[in-house]
Amino acid sequence: MAKKPIKITEVVLRDAHQSLLATRMTMDEMRPILPEMDKIPYFSVECWGGATFDSCIRFLDEDPWERLRILRKELPHQKLQMLFRGQNMLGYRPYADDAVEYFVQKSVANGIDVIRIFDALNDPRNLQTAIKAANKEGAHVQACISYTLSPVHNNEYFANYAKTLEEMGADSICIKDMAGLLKPYTCYDLVKELKETIKIPVDIHSHYTAGLASMSILKGIEAGADIVDTAMSPLALGTSHMPTESLVAALQGTDYDTGLDLNQLNVVRAYFNKLREKYIANGQINQKSLGVDANTLLYQVPGGMFSNMLKQLKDAGKEDKLQDVLEEIPRVREDAGYPPLVTPTSQIVGTQAVFN
C-alpha cells in the first residue's frame, strides 16, 4: 500500500492538444474514448477552458457549452477541470466582476468541478473575484503560480504568493510551468518551500518543451507534491506534457504508487495513438512541436503559444522566421518588465516580437 499515492490530472482532452495542434481536437474525436477514460480513477480530467472555448467557436463550429455538457454526461465518475484566466475569464482582456461571477456560476452548473485559476501577472487582485465566485458555487479552487524565470522571480516570491492565494480561498495550489522551465532541483526546493508555507495540496503542471519535465516532476514528488498533470503518451512530450503511462509505471510499487491500471490506460493510449497518426498525416501536428528544445529556457515560450504561433507563421508564409521570432521574444519580455509568458502576456509579447 502506497504511503502517499500521487494523484493524476489527465490533460489529454485540453492542454495536450492545445499545445500540439492548436486546440483543434473535436468533440466527435473525443467522445468514443470517454467511457474508457471514465473507468480510470484520476484526480481530475482537464477538458475545458483555456483556448478550447475560443477554438470551438472560431475554428470547429462547436458550441463550447454543449461540449461541456457532453463531457459531463460521458464522464460521470470524473471531476471535470477547466482552466480559467482570472479576471480575463476565457478571453484576452479583463471583464467586469459580474461577468466573471456569472461565467463561473454557469461553468459549475454545466458540469465543472475543479476550476484552475491563474493570472498572467501573478496579481492576486485579478484572481479575487473568480476565487470568491468559485468558492460560492462549491467548486474546488486550484489557484496558480504562473512560474517563470527572471531577475525578479524566485522561490521565496512564489511561496509568498501561494500563501496569499491560500488565504484568499484556494483549495490547492498549482505550479503552472507553462513553458517547461522548472529544473529538477529547483522544483524540489520550490515544492519543499511551498509545503512548509501552505497547508493545502500542491499540483505540478510542467510542459516537456525543454526536456526537463519528467526529472522535475519526480523530484517534486519526492519533495511532497500531491498531484501531477500528465498527458496520454500519443499526445505527450514536445510542447505537451510528461506521459501518463510513464509516470504510473515509474511509481508502481513505491510509496507514491498512483494505483492506476496500466492495462486500462493502454486501452485509452491505443485510441489516441490513431488520432496522433491522423494529426501528423494531415499536418495538424507540426513535427517542430514534437521535439525538445533546451533553448526554451531562454525563450520561455509556453506550449500552447508555440503551436499557435507556428501555425500562424505557416499560414502567413513566414514559417522560416520562427527562429528569429523566438530570439526576439526575450528582448521584448525584458522591455516589458519580465512578465510571465502565459495568456495573454505571451500573445502580447509574441505578437510584438513578430512585428519587430
Side-chain angles (χ1 to χ4, degrees), residues 46 58 68 74 88 145 147 169 172 209 218 239 243-244 247-248 257 272 284 288 320-321 328:
E46 193 204 40
R58 283 210 292 163
L68 175 55
E74 301 288 346
N88 298 333
I145 296 165
Y147 184 80
S172 62
T209 324
L218 201 55
T239 50
T244 303
L247 184 65
V248 170
D257 196 323
F272 282 108
Q284 280 186 282
K288 291 177 182 175
D320 60 313
K321 298 291 185 183
E328 181 66 13

Tab-separated table of all heavy atoms in Angstrom, residues 46 58 68 74 88 145 147 169 172 209 218 239 243-244 247-248 257 272 284 288 320-321 328:
chain	number	residue	atom	x	y	z
A	46	GLU	N	-8.814	17.317	-17.057
A	46	GLU	CA	-8.860	18.686	-17.586
A	46	GLU	C	-9.389	18.618	-19.011
A	46	GLU	O	-8.801	17.955	-19.867
A	46	GLU	CB	-7.468	19.320	-17.560
A	46	GLU	CG	-7.548	20.822	-17.809
A	46	GLU	CD	-6.272	21.416	-18.349
A	46	GLU	OE1	-5.624	20.772	-19.195
A	46	GLU	OE2	-5.934	22.528	-17.939
A	58	ARG	N	-14.465	29.624	-33.075
A	58	ARG	CA	-13.815	30.207	-34.258
A	58	ARG	C	-13.442	29.190	-35.333
A	58	ARG	O	-13.459	29.502	-36.519
A	58	ARG	CB	-12.553	30.963	-33.829
A	58	ARG	CG	-12.830	32.304	-33.198
A	58	ARG	CD	-11.716	33.276	-33.449
A	58	ARG	NE	-10.483	32.911	-32.763
A	58	ARG	CZ	-9.289	33.416	-33.082
A	58	ARG	NH1	-9.178	34.269	-34.071
A	58	ARG	NH2	-8.223	33.048	-32.392
A	68	LEU	N	-19.173	20.855	-23.036
A	68	LEU	CA	-19.060	20.617	-21.596
A	68	LEU	C	-20.167	19.682	-21.104
A	68	LEU	O	-19.919	18.763	-20.314
A	68	LEU	CB	-19.096	21.944	-20.834
A	68	LEU	CG	-19.098	21.862	-19.307
A	68	LEU	CD1	-17.925	21.046	-18.778
A	68	LEU	CD2	-19.092	23.261	-18.694
A	74	GLU	N	-20.711	11.941	-20.276
A	74	GLU	CA	-19.902	10.772	-20.637
A	74	GLU	C	-18.814	10.443	-19.607
A	74	GLU	O	-18.212	9.371	-19.664
A	74	GLU	CB	-19.255	10.991	-22.008
A	74	GLU	CG	-20.237	11.220	-23.149
A	74	GLU	CD	-20.998	9.953	-23.534
A	74	GLU	OE1	-20.583	8.854	-23.118
A	74	GLU	OE2	-22.009	10.071	-24.246
A	88	ASN	N	-9.680	37.714	-16.728
A	88	ASN	CA	-9.791	37.615	-18.189
A	88	ASN	C	-10.737	36.496	-18.617
A	88	ASN	O	-10.971	36.325	-19.817
A	88	ASN	CB	-8.419	37.374	-18.828
A	88	ASN	CG	-7.448	38.500	-18.580
A	88	ASN	OD1	-7.854	39.646	-18.387
A	88	ASN	ND2	-6.166	38.193	-18.556
A	145	ILE	N	0.367	29.480	-9.453
A	145	ILE	CA	1.586	30.270	-9.582
A	145	ILE	C	1.974	30.195	-11.055
A	145	ILE	O	2.248	29.114	-11.570
A	145	ILE	CB	2.728	29.666	-8.744
A	145	ILE	CG1	2.405	29.711	-7.254
A	145	ILE	CG2	4.048	30.348	-9.056
A	145	ILE	CD1	3.308	28.809	-6.430
A	147	TYR	N	4.618	30.198	-13.252
A	147	TYR	CA	6.059	30.056	-12.999
A	147	TYR	C	6.870	30.668	-14.143
A	147	TYR	O	6.567	30.477	-15.323
A	147	TYR	CB	6.429	28.582	-12.841
A	147	TYR	CG	7.888	28.381	-12.489
A	147	TYR	CD1	8.326	28.552	-11.175
A	147	TYR	CD2	8.830	28.060	-13.463
A	147	TYR	CE1	9.672	28.405	-10.850
A	147	TYR	CE2	10.168	27.909	-13.142
A	147	TYR	CZ	10.583	28.088	-11.834
A	147	TYR	OH	11.908	27.940	-11.509
A	169	GLY	N	-8.683	31.758	-0.360
A	169	GLY	CA	-9.702	30.727	-0.504
A	169	GLY	C	-9.362	29.574	-1.425
A	169	GLY	O	-10.236	28.770	-1.761
A	172	SER	N	-6.277	24.234	-3.434
A	172	SER	CA	-4.982	23.658	-3.775
A	172	SER	C	-4.211	24.690	-4.586
A	172	SER	O	-4.782	25.670	-5.069
A	172	SER	CB	-5.131	22.344	-4.560
A	172	SER	OG	-5.804	22.552	-5.790
A	209	THR	N	8.686	20.929	-23.050
A	209	THR	CA	9.355	21.668	-24.116
A	209	THR	C	10.879	21.660	-24.011
A	209	THR	O	11.585	21.502	-25.010
A	209	THR	CB	8.840	23.122	-24.137
A	209	THR	OG1	7.448	23.132	-23.808
A	209	THR	CG2	9.034	23.746	-25.494
A	218	LEU	N	9.517	14.145	-10.910
A	218	LEU	CA	9.955	13.118	-9.950
A	218	LEU	C	10.562	13.760	-8.703
A	218	LEU	O	10.267	13.353	-7.571
A	218	LEU	CB	10.963	12.183	-10.617
A	218	LEU	CG	11.149	10.809	-9.969
A	218	LEU	CD1	9.824	10.075	-9.844
A	218	LEU	CD2	12.139	9.980	-10.760
A	239	THR	N	5.955	19.987	-26.898
A	239	THR	CA	5.394	21.144	-26.196
A	239	THR	C	4.254	20.749	-25.262
A	239	THR	O	3.673	21.603	-24.597
A	239	THR	CB	4.889	22.195	-27.202
A	239	THR	OG1	4.052	21.549	-28.170
A	239	THR	CG2	6.055	22.852	-27.925
A	243	PRO	N	4.280	11.829	-20.221
A	243	PRO	CA	3.276	10.800	-20.495
A	243	PRO	C	2.687	10.215	-19.211
A	243	PRO	O	3.417	9.882	-18.275
A	243	PRO	CB	4.049	9.725	-21.268
A	243	PRO	CG	5.317	10.385	-21.719
A	243	PRO	CD	5.619	11.442	-20.704
A	244	THR	N	1.383	10.057	-19.205
A	244	THR	CA	0.687	9.492	-18.044
A	244	THR	C	1.200	8.094	-17.720
A	244	THR	O	1.542	7.789	-16.574
A	244	THR	CB	-0.829	9.424	-18.323
A	244	THR	OG1	-1.306	10.729	-18.650
A	244	THR	CG2	-1.585	8.895	-17.116
A	247	LEU	N	4.678	7.859	-15.991
A	247	LEU	CA	4.707	8.203	-14.574
A	247	LEU	C	4.066	7.099	-13.739
A	247	LEU	O	4.589	6.721	-12.683
A	247	LEU	CB	3.987	9.527	-14.321
A	247	LEU	CG	4.056	10.010	-12.862
A	247	LEU	CD1	5.486	10.335	-12.463
A	247	LEU	CD2	3.162	11.216	-12.628
A	248	VAL	N	2.950	6.562	-14.225
A	248	VAL	CA	2.282	5.475	-13.497
A	248	VAL	C	3.223	4.285	-13.349
A	248	VAL	O	3.350	3.699	-12.267
A	248	VAL	CB	0.979	5.060	-14.226
A	248	VAL	CG1	0.408	3.776	-13.626
A	248	VAL	CG2	-0.047	6.185	-14.144
A	257	ASP	N	2.900	5.178	-5.416
A	257	ASP	CA	2.129	4.434	-6.415
A	257	ASP	C	0.769	5.094	-6.646
A	257	ASP	O	-0.001	5.315	-5.708
A	257	ASP	CB	1.929	2.991	-5.934
A	257	ASP	CG	1.489	2.054	-7.057
A	257	ASP	OD1	0.699	2.489	-7.914
A	257	ASP	OD2	1.925	0.888	-7.059
A	272	PHE	N	-5.894	7.129	-28.708
A	272	PHE	CA	-5.249	8.403	-29.024
A	272	PHE	C	-4.073	8.235	-29.981
A	272	PHE	O	-3.705	9.175	-30.689
A	272	PHE	CB	-4.811	9.122	-27.737
A	272	PHE	CG	-5.955	9.787	-27.038
A	272	PHE	CD1	-6.463	9.275	-25.846
A	272	PHE	CD2	-6.555	10.912	-27.571
A	272	PHE	CE1	-7.527	9.881	-25.207
A	272	PHE	CE2	-7.633	11.530	-26.938
A	272	PHE	CZ	-8.121	11.009	-25.755
A	284	GLN	N	-1.858	18.608	-38.925
A	284	GLN	CA	-2.322	19.356	-37.750
A	284	GLN	C	-1.266	19.379	-36.645
A	284	GLN	O	-1.178	20.346	-35.895
A	284	GLN	CB	-3.628	18.756	-37.222
A	284	GLN	CG	-4.857	19.183	-38.007
A	284	GLN	CD	-6.138	18.685	-37.369
A	284	GLN	OE1	-6.502	17.526	-37.494
A	284	GLN	NE2	-6.836	19.560	-36.677
A	288	LYS	N	7.782	20.179	-35.553
A	288	LYS	CA	8.547	21.080	-34.684
A	288	LYS	C	7.968	21.144	-33.268
A	288	LYS	O	8.657	21.544	-32.336
A	288	LYS	CB	8.596	22.484	-35.292
A	288	LYS	CG	9.441	22.565	-36.555
A	288	LYS	CD	9.401	23.945	-37.173
A	288	LYS	CE	10.227	23.982	-38.457
A	288	LYS	NZ	10.116	25.274	-39.157
A	320	ASP	N	9.684	30.315	-41.968
A	320	ASP	CA	11.143	30.418	-41.932
A	320	ASP	C	11.617	31.475	-40.934
A	320	ASP	O	12.807	31.522	-40.591
A	320	ASP	CB	11.689	30.758	-43.324
A	320	ASP	CG	11.150	32.080	-43.851
A	320	ASP	OD1	9.921	32.295	-43.760
A	320	ASP	OD2	11.953	32.913	-44.325
A	321	LYS	N	10.702	32.312	-40.443
A	321	LYS	CA	11.064	33.366	-39.494
A	321	LYS	C	10.946	32.902	-38.030
A	321	LYS	O	11.159	33.695	-37.107
A	321	LYS	CB	10.158	34.592	-39.696
A	321	LYS	CG	10.276	35.240	-41.059
A	321	LYS	CD	11.630	35.915	-41.248
A	321	LYS	CE	11.686	36.666	-42.569
A	321	LYS	NZ	13.031	37.272	-42.783
A	328	GLU	N	13.792	37.012	-30.592
A	328	GLU	CA	13.347	38.367	-30.285
A	328	GLU	C	12.507	38.403	-29.009
A	328	GLU	O	12.480	39.422	-28.296
A	328	GLU	CB	12.545	38.927	-31.468
A	328	GLU	CG	12.026	40.345	-31.290
A	328	GLU	CD	13.133	41.397	-31.207
A	328	GLU	OE1	14.307	41.071	-31.526
A	328	GLU	OE2	12.822	42.536	-30.831
